[in-house]
Structures are given as structure tokens and as C-alpha cells.
Amino acid sequence: MPQQLTLDFLNNDGDDAARILQLRKELHRHNYLYYVKNTPEISDYDFDMLMKELEALEASHPEMHDPNSPTSRVGSDLADGFRQAAHVYPMLSLANTYSIDEVDAWGKRVEEALQGQQSCIIGEMKFDGTSISLIYEHGKLVRAVTRGDGEKGDVVTDNVRTIQSIPLTLQGEGWPEFFEIRGEIVLPWAAFDRLNAEREAAGDALFANPRNAASGTLKLLNPTEVARRGLDAYFYYLLGENLPADNHYDNMMAARAWGFKVSDAMTPLYSLDDVDQYINHWDSARKELPVATDGLVFKVNSLRQQLNLGFTAKSPRWAVAYKFAAERALTRLRFVSFDVGRMGIITPVANLEPVLLSGTIVKRASMHNDDIMRALDIHEQDMLYVEKGGEIIPKITGVDTSARIQGAKPVEFVSSCPACGAKLIRVEGEAAWVCPNKENCVPQIVGRIEHFVGRRMMNIDGIGEETAAQLFAHGFVHNIADLYDLKPTQLQDIEGFAEKSARRVIDGIEASKNVPFERVVFALSIPYVGETTAKKVARAAGSIERLMQMSVDELEAIEDVGPRIARTIADFFADNENQAIVERLKAAGLNMNIPDDDSATAPLSNALDGKSFVISGVFSKHSRDEYKSLIERHGGKNTGSISKKTDFILAGENMGPAKLEKAKSLNITIIDEDTFLNMINS
Ligand code: IVH
């Protein structure tokens, strides 16, 4: 009987449903105890067993899917590009100072403005990561948005869900039905060191500091990789109506009780003496913290007083940031050398008497380019100030001129390439001197081969800097296309290669023919085209033939491609030598297009045949990338700037006033996203 069946169904499922809910609750609590409180109650093994049980139950009950389940923390590979969302309250920055006196002056201004009212200041750490805004509705995380330009940011909810210390479902009680909490996403030192060690072993570029690593990680399109890297988050600002208390500190303590990680360093301070002591204490104590900090923040505690003090255009008057001075050492210059990069860019490097700085010995420090070196006015054997700040690559920040040796000559930038002797050129408007001899200058050739075979490019194992140099020295490989003509016997001529290792390289070269087109574009070493740009360019063009034909204007219409990059891409493909290399790579069988059956690029209709679009503003239903792809897949064309030839402007929120003015003056039809979606759906 149907009714009986329904009841049976309910009985079994009811048990499972209750168990799923119970497991989720328990696992959320254990996550909190482990990641926020650092006081786990069960072993990792027991935790894994509970997680496995939940995974199994969820797999057989897809109707109970919940993006906030603890199982979602490991991430999925489903994330697409990022959409943007406008911030409910703009994300402002803080007024900065490096001096205790200025912090005291701020404290006095606050006192004066409050006309003798009692006030309390909250001292807290300034975490050095990337800021995040989380929106909670009915106790659940619904959206995570990066700072972006302060008005709008990228929606990175899928990635944020993988951060174990962020509560997906709140604990306790008293949270408002709708609120926003802001904090800093950080990559703890231990995770940062591990990540860079991995990158070094794989030959990838290192992250300069945990801040870059945190923001880079948060923008990855693969939440599983985000989960693996070990981000963490500290919270410092609660916003919304119906907050639990009328002061910042109690609100943050309430947030802590709901499951957010709020630093133990957050402390009420009752006088400027307390503030000064807090600074003196944390100036050195911060070095013991597991995460990077670049200063302290002081905030007026009372929300009513905050309201009275208000904001300037850029920052609140009720808060100030005190920044720690970067660590600095003084050491003698031995000589200046000039490095040649794979794009031919010459970087001046100061070679120093070894000196200890923030726990490591420094022997070399970059001076970036000619302008910076000139501004430093470096003379032979000068005593130089080296700083690390948040960077792992030290830089020269000044000269102790009082210690200059009499008669010492100024150090000049080279005028010819230190590797090949070619006369250097300087592109107008750029700071860099470049060696133009890209076909015969060894470090450039070797650098391009090294880049081409890298893990994130063609992923050919067994060829590092040394092998690439030897392949060139033996006359086997002059450019990346020559790799595909390489014979095992040629490799065996190279020191350190036996039959087996030579075979491994040849197999790797063969396997690289399956690498997707977007990575091939990145591997080509087009100036300024990094991994993300390569992906966008490859997807927008669809094939190498199309990419090679695209005009500067068409290239500029691709997201992230500005006029300079568009020009370099066009120049790169206009070069005969590059054209020949691409032809040979094509003949060798590399992937030179996005597959036709790729559901993300296949044509959909002719609805926009021949129509030319310019996209402007922020959208809510699809990302800009998605709109660009939809335009192309329905037969239309994207261009970067408005001209007489533009048929439509697809305008989101906050379209720039200059564009609006131009569109009006040329009488171009402006459509919103709904109108556009109707156009392609009809
Ligand atoms: S309060 C309106 N508190 O510093 C004030 N910011 O320069 C909002 N930051 O964008 C910020 N630790 O990314 C605040 N304890 C802290 C902070 C903090 C780090 C970052 C945050 C912000 C930037 C301001």
C-alpha cells in the first residue's frame, strides 16, 4: 500500500537523516576544538572515522546535500571563475603610522573629539594576510567576498568553506539573523614554509611572503588545492544590525563564542600608557606568533563613540594602525652583478658581505632596475641597508653615506648584456633594460626552455637549468620546438644521463603533447603573460590560429588583458621566429586549441551574429568572463573599447562614467544583464 511504503521510507531515512545532522554537529564541534581552541577531544583517527561515516551517509542521501556540511571542507573541483558582489558596507583601510608618538597623538585627538567622555581602546594584532568579508544568514555561512576595490570583491565562498577554522554553521546563541564579519585570511608560517619548499622542489616561483601566498591561494580555482595549503583566518570586525553588544570588544567575544577565531592578543586598554606598553610588548612578542603580523590596530571600543567619530573618505577616525618597522641590517657591498631573465630583462643585484637578517644569512639583494639603483646612488664598497619586511627576498633600501670610502666610484648600470654582449635597449615608458638578443643570449634561451618544461607548463620531468644549458651547449636545443626533435642518444651524450633517465625525458616530452592548450600558451614565454592571463587568453581565443590573428583591440577585450599586454601578445605573434616555433610545435602534435566538445566553449547559437559588444561594470547573474564567453558562443564579438563599431554595451552596476558618456555620445544601445540573457534565450 502506498501509505505503508511512505512510512517505511520515512523510518529508514528518518534514522539516517537524524544521524547525518548529529554527525555534522559533532564534526563541526571537533573542528572548532581542533582548529580554533587547539584543544581536541578525540584522536585524529576517531575524527576520520566520524567523517567517513558522514560521507557514506551523505552519498546515499543526495537530497540532504548541504554546502555547509563538514564534508564540504575538503572542497570540490567544480568552482568556475569568480563572480563579483558589492559590499554592503564599503571595505575601507586604516590610517597607518610607524611612530608611537603618532599613535599617542591619535589617542589625544580621540579624547578631544569625545569631549571628556570615558573611553576605552581595544588593542589587537594587524594580521598580514588578505581581508575577507563573510556574510551569515540564520547562523550559516552564505557568502565570502574578498576586499576587491573596497566597493565590490570576488565571491570566493567555495574556497573559504575549505578553511577549517571558519565556522560554516554557528554555535551557541545570540547571533543576529543577518550579519557580516570581517577578518584576515592568513597562511601560517609553517604552511608557508612547506608550500615554498614544495614549489622550490618543483621549480616553481616562490611566494615572496605569506600575504601573497594567502591571497594567491584564495584566488585559486581549485578548492581542493586551497584546502591542501592550510589557510587560517582571524576575525576583527562585526557589522550589522542587532549586534549582541554596544561595544567592539564584547561583540568580538560573542563572535568567539559562536566559533570564530578571535586572537587572544585582543585586549582592552584604558590609558595611553597602556597603549604604549602594548606596543612595546608586541613589537618583539609577535615573532613568536604562528602567523605573520605587520603591526597593531587600536580601535575605540564603544560603537556609539565610533559613530560620533565617523570616517574620513578612506578610513575610520576611530581606529589607527601602528606598523612595525621592517627588520634592517647594514653590510658592505662586494660588487654589483646583473642577472639576465628569460625575457631578457636585466636586474641589478647587490652581492654583499654575508649578514644575519630575521634569522637567515643574506648575501644577495635585488635592486630591481636602473631607476631604483640610480636613486640609491650606490658607490663601490658602500655600506648598504638591507631590509626584509614581509618579503623573503631582501632588498636594498639605503646607503650609509657617512661610511663611504674616499674616492669610491659610483656603480654604473651596464650598457651591454653581461651574458652575450648585445647592446641593451630600454622600452619607452618601462623601467627595465632589456637584452634584445633573444635568439642567441644563453640565459634567455635556457630560461625559456626551463620555463617551458616546468610543472605548471608542459610538465616535462628531468630537465632542469643545468640540463637545459647543456642541451644548448651541445647544439641540440636552441628553442622550445627543438625539444620535440630530441633523440635519446643525444641525451645520453650529456653528463649524468643514462639510457633510463634519457628515456624518462623522451617519455615526458611525448606526454606533454596532451597538455591542454591554455598551458601551452603559458609555456610559450609571452612577455607579461602569466598563468592566469594565459588561461583567459587561450579560452577567449579558442585556438592558436585565432590567437595569432587577434587584433590588439580584440585582445584588450579579454579580461585581465590591458593595452600593454594586448600589444605584447600581438607583437609576439607578429615575430617571424615565434611564428616558426609555433608552426613546429603544432606539427609536433601539441594541443593548439580548446577541444570542440569542451562544453564551456562550444557554439550555442547565431543570436548575436556579427554584433560587437563592450562589457562594463559589475554583474550579479554571471561573471564578466562568463558573459564574454556567452557573447562569443552566440556568434558575437568582444572588444575592449567603445567605438562607432560597437553595437551594444552590456552594462552592470557601477559602469564607469567615462564609458557611459562615450556610449551616449555615440548613441550606442546600453543593455543590462536581463535584456542580454533574453536576447540569447530567444
Ligand atoms: S580593522 C574599517 N583590524 O588591515 C577598519 N584590519 O589597512 C577595518 N587588518 O583591510 C579594518 N588586521 O585587511 C582591522 N585587527 C585588524 C586587522 C586589520 C589586519 C587589515 C585588513 C584591512 C587592513 C587595513
Side-chain angles (χ1 to χ4, degrees):
M1 273 176 353
Q3 193 157 10
Q4 188 58 47
L5 272 178
T6 314
L7 275 177
D8 270 356
F9 173 74
L10 262 183
N11 277 342
N12 286 336
D13 248 30
D15 287 345
D16 283 355
R19 180 70 184 147
I20 287 175
L21 295 179
Q22 184 198 7
L23 281 168
R24 282 179 183 164
K25 201 165 151 192
E26 259 182 59
L27 284 164
H28 276 314
R29 194 174 84 84
H30 290 306
N31 262 335
Y32 170 73
L33 291 173
Y34 185 91
Y35 288 103
V36 181
K37 304 288 279 184
N38 288 325
T39 53
E41 278 179 10
I42 59 172
S43 68
D44 289 1
Y45 176 80
D46 288 345
F47 180 91
D48 290 343
M49 290 301 109
L50 293 175
M51 187 66 101
K52 282 207 164 68
E53 186 187 345
L54 178 58
E55 274 165 5
L57 282 170
E58 285 183 344
S60 52
H61 291 280
E63 79 285 3
M64 289 203 59
H65 171 76
D66 178 353
N68 283 342
S69 166
T71 54
S72 313
R73 300 239 195 224
V74 288
S76 83
D77 285 339
L78 291 177
D80 203 350
F82 299 109
R83 304 212 174 146
Q84 293 199 320
H87 293 298
V88 182
Y89 308 89
M91 281 181 92
L92 301 175
S93 58
L94 293 168
N96 275 334
T97 169
Y98 286 87
S99 105
I100 297 192
D101 288 347
E102 282 185 22
V103 174
D104 289 351
W106 166 81
K108 295 208 171 81
R109 278 200 305 279
V110 165
E111 269 172 19
E112 268 167 37
L114 295 176
Q115 297 175 334
Q117 293 171 35
Q118 281 281 346
S119 68
C120 157
I121 302 290
I122 305 304
E124 44 195 86
M125 301 314 298
K126 188 167 187 311
F127 294 101
D128 199 10
T130 182
S131 41
I132 194 76
S133 147
L134 304 183
I135 306 287
Y136 283 78
E137 289 182 13
H138 311 297
K140 291 191 187 305
L141 172 68
V142 294
R143 200 164 71 222
V145 187
T146 63
R147 179 173 190 277
D149 62 5
E151 298 288 329
K152 57 182 188 300
D154 282 323
V155 178
V156 288
T157 322
D158 286 337
N159 285 348
V160 164
R161 278 190 215 287
T162 70
I163 302 174
Q164 302 278 4
S165 65
I166 290 184
L168 304 180
T169 303
L170 300 183
Q171 331 169 359
E173 52 198 26
W175 22 267
E177 287 300 286
F178 299 93
F179 70 89
E180 176 177 348
I181 190 162
R182 290 188 185 164
E184 200 81 351
I185 296 200
V186 292
L187 192 67
W189 285 114
F192 171 73
D193 291 342
R194 195 173 55 229
L195 179 62
N196 262 351
E198 279 171 20
R199 291 175 76 87
E200 190 162 23
D204 292 339
L206 301 190
F207 283 114
N209 52 46
R211 175 183 0 108
N212 292 0
S215 61
T217 301
L218 194 63
K219 293 288 186 67
L220 289 174
L221 291 179
N222 176 349
T224 309
E225 176 60 14
V226 179
R228 198 188 68 80
R229 290 198 184 171
L231 292 172
D232 202 347
Y234 288 85
F235 290 86
Y236 47 67
Y237 194 15
L238 193 65
L239 295 112
E241 288 168 23
N242 307 320
L243 298 183
D246 64 0
N247 68 82
H248 169 60
Y249 186 76
D250 288 346
N251 281 332
M252 293 319 299
M253 294 306 117
R256 182 185 276 169
W258 304 334
F260 293 99
K261 199 169 207 169
V262 175
S263 164
D264 287 334
M266 192 175 277
T267 313
L269 306 166
Y270 298 97
S271 68
L272 288 180
D273 273 351
D274 284 359
V275 169
D276 294 356
Q277 269 179 33
Y278 189 83
I279 294 178
N280 287 328
H281 170 72
W282 283 110
D283 220 346
S284 59
R286 65 166 179 134
K287 291 175 194 153
E288 311 299 320
L289 292 175
V291 295
T293 52
D294 61 340
L296 303 169
V297 182
F298 297 99
K299 298 175 182 167
V300 171
N301 192 26
S302 150
L303 300 192
R304 190 176 42 78
Q305 291 179 347
Q306 286 188 5
L307 204 66
N308 283 343
L309 290 160
F311 292 83
T312 69
K314 281 194 291 188
S315 54
R317 285 197 193 88
W318 45 262
V320 70
Y322 167 81
K323 301 261 273 197
F324 299 126
E327 290 197 51
R328 193 163 89 144
L330 192 61
T331 187
R332 193 167 297 282
L333 172 69
R334 292 176 53 228
F335 59 94
V336 174
S337 58
F338 294 85
D339 281 1
V340 187
R342 82 188 142 98
M343 304 294 188
I345 292 176
I346 312 291
T347 309
V349 177
N351 291 259
L352 309 162
E353 297 289 347
V355 63
L356 188 68
L357 185 59
S358 317
T360 51
I361 305 252
V362 176
K363 293 189 201 138
R364 279 164 59 89
S366 171
M367 290 183 288
H368 303 286
N369 58 43
D370 192 12
D371 290 350
I372 294 180
M373 195 176 105
R374 255 176 226 281
L376 288 164
D377 187 28
I378 288 180
H379 287 54
E380 287 168 350
Q381 297 185 55
D382 263 351
M383 289 300 284
L384 303 181
Y385 289 106
V386 199
E387 266 185 32
K388 258 188 157 181
E391 319 290 313
I392 51 167
I393 302 160
K395 59 178 181 221
I396 302 295
T397 54
V399 180
D400 177 3
T401 43
S402 67
R404 180 162 289 160
I405 293 172
Q406 258 213 342
K409 292 201 193 88
V411 181
E412 298 285 340
F413 203 91
V414 280
S415 58
S416 54
C417 174
C420 72
K423 197 162 167 30
L424 302 181
I425 54 168
R426 192 167 184 173
V427 180
E428 218 184 286
E430 306 262 330
W433 283 98
V434 177
C435 166
N437 183 18
K438 65 183 173 49
E439 275 135 52
N440 295 301
C441 178
V442 180
Q444 292 189 57
I445 298 170
V446 172
R448 284 195 300 266
I449 299 171
E450 237 191 302
H451 172 77
F452 185 79
V453 300
R455 192 168 58 91
R456 296 194 331 275
M457 300 69 155
M458 305 309 281
N459 194 20
I460 302 171
D461 249 2
I463 304 183
E465 184 182 347
E466 216 173 303
T467 313
Q470 293 205 34
L471 285 171
F472 173 75
H474 280 72
F476 300 148
V477 178
H478 280 88
N479 62 47
I480 52 177
D482 293 338
L483 285 168
Y484 292 87
D485 295 334
L486 204 57
K487 310 266 175 319
T489 47
Q490 292 177 320
L491 274 164
Q492 282 171 50
D493 282 353
I494 289 178
E495 210 186 290
F497 271 89
E499 199 182 328
K500 212 165 143 198
S501 45
R503 189 74 259 157
R504 193 164 63 106
V505 170
I506 299 289
D507 288 349
I509 292 176
E510 197 53 34
S512 74
K513 296 178 184 171
N514 296 323
V515 162
F517 176 49
E518 41 203 44
R519 275 168 51 192
V520 176
V521 173
F522 179 37
L524 291 176
S525 284
I526 307 172
Y528 309 118
V529 175
E531 193 169 8
T532 314
T533 313
K535 204 173 266 180
K536 293 192 169 162
V537 166
R539 293 219 149 240
S543 70
I544 196 82
E545 288 82 7
R546 174 85 187 96
L547 179 56
M548 292 171 87
Q549 283 164 359
M550 282 173 98
S551 67
V552 172
D553 196 28
E554 284 173 316
L555 287 163
E556 239 191 279
I558 302 171
E559 190 162 354
D560 279 3
V561 177
R564 182 173 78 156
I565 302 185
R567 181 76 268 158
T568 354
I569 298 175
D571 287 350
F572 181 88
F573 288 114
D575 178 285
N576 289 339
E577 179 76 12
N578 290 337
Q579 286 175 3
I581 290 176
V582 169
E583 282 311 317
R584 286 178 60 205
L585 293 176
K586 215 155 78 175
L590 268 65
N591 273 320
M592 287 299 186
N593 56 354
I594 305 269
D596 279 345
D597 60 357
D598 188 313
S599 56
T601 52
L604 292 170
S605 83
N606 294 329
L608 310 176
D609 225 3
K611 298 283 183 243
S612 159
F613 284 77
V614 170
I615 300 190
S616 179
V618 189
F619 300 91
S620 57
K621 298 198 169 153
H622 291 277
S623 67
R624 283 165 75 99
D625 267 352
E626 285 166 347
Y627 278 120
K628 285 193 170 150
S629 150
L630 283 172
I631 289 171
E632 301 220 335
R633 295 173 69 193
H634 287 275
K637 209 170 100 178
N638 291 293
T639 53
S641 50
I642 301 172
S643 72
K644 281 191 301 236
K645 292 189 201 144
T646 311
D647 293 297
F648 294 102
I649 293 174
L650 173 52
E653 272 178 57
N654 301 338
M655 175 174 168
K659 277 198 174 157
L660 194 63
E661 196 57 38
K662 185 151 188 204
K664 280 188 182 153
S665 72
L666 292 172
N667 240 339
I668 296 166
T669 316
I670 302 181
I671 54 172
D672 63 9
E673 37 185 345
D674 287 329
T675 316
F676 174 80
L677 293 171
N678 278 337
M679 273 165 78
I680 58 173
N681 288 334
S682 61

